Amino acid sequence: MNREPRIAISPGSFDPLTNGHVDIIQRGARLFDRIIIAILVNREKTPLFTAEERVEIAREVFASDGNVEVDTFGGLLVEYARRRQASVIVRGLRAVSDFEYEMQMALMNRHLSPELETVFMMPGEAYTYLSSRLVKEVFALGGSVEGLVPPAVERRLLVKR
Ligand code: ADP
């Protein structure tokens, strides 16, 4: 039976991409025909990495995953999804603390675009405490982020230091 390819979007700031993000994106890549990492631009005024750097990092990390695409977006996610003909939003759920915000967003997106479905996935246990914000804090305080982020991120962080 022929069907339209199922395209998913993994939206976020990815500032920086962590191994938790990589885990969720790889799970999504196994479930959907294509997954687009959609990097949100212009949310934070002073990001650690520019949008261009974040795109470059994600492309490097997923270079050998044929069905993972990297793009940037701004504005309403539902509009971007419509433009890219995506039917699914993939989000990661780490702990109960993520739930309330994620539920609000998923229901608001459903209100705006009823045909767009949000799918939540749980990362491996090793990543449940990991966030971009904490990685930035540890790095700023001089700690090691080895094992928390892909080597492509670690390398660029060391250059910034
Ligand atoms: P946002 O600012 O939109 O939350 P992030 O870049 O922080 O953007 O996260 C993008 C997505 O990745 C979100 O769904 C978030 O829950 C998920 N995520 C972030 N860190 C992890 C992690 N360690 N394990 C699983 N999912 C994660």
Side-chain angles (χ1 to χ4, degrees), residues 132-145:
S132 297
R133 185 183 56 80
L134 266 184
V135 164
K136 279 187 274 200
E137 258 176 59
V138 169
F139 169 72
L141 296 171
S144 166
V145 294

Side-chain angles (χ1 to χ4, degrees), residues 75-86:
L76 271 183
L77 177 60
V78 295
E79 288 303 326
Y80 175 75
R82 208 167 282 151
R83 237 179 16 252
R84 298 304 316 265
Q85 296 179 308

Side-chain angles (χ1 to χ4, degrees), residues 58-127:
R59 291 210 171 120
E60 188 178 323
V61 170
F62 292 99
S64 55
D65 297 72
N67 66 338
V68 179
E69 186 189 321
V70 183
D71 194 10
T72 56
F73 83 105
L76 271 183
L77 177 60
V78 295
E79 288 303 326
Y80 175 75
R82 208 167 282 151
R83 237 179 16 252
R84 298 304 316 265
Q85 296 179 308
S87 53
V88 175
I89 296 173
V90 166
R91 298 283 292 179
L93 268 189
R94 283 161 290 194
V96 180
S97 49
D98 279 342
F99 183 78
E100 193 160 350
Y101 172 68
E102 291 293 341
M103 188 178 78
Q104 280 183 4
M105 270 216 310
L107 294 179
M108 178 55 79
N109 284 333
R110 180 181 286 168
H111 169 77
L112 296 171
S113 180
E115 66 286 355
L116 188 63
E117 207 59 67
T118 302
V119 168
F120 294 102
M121 280 187 288
M122 273 171 269
E125 302 91 276
Y127 308 122

Side-chain angles (χ1 to χ4, degrees), residues 10-16 18-21 23-24 40 43 90-94 98 101-102 105 120-124 127-133:
S10 168
S13 315
F14 304 104
D15 185 36
T18 70
N19 286 340
H21 293 131
D23 177 291
I24 293 294
L40 180 58
R43 190 157 67 179
V90 166
R91 298 283 292 179
L93 268 189
R94 283 161 290 194
D98 279 342
Y101 172 68
E102 291 293 341
M105 270 216 310
F120 294 102
M121 280 187 288
M122 273 171 269
Y127 308 122
T128 52
Y129 62 93
L130 186 55
S131 68
S132 297
R133 185 183 56 80

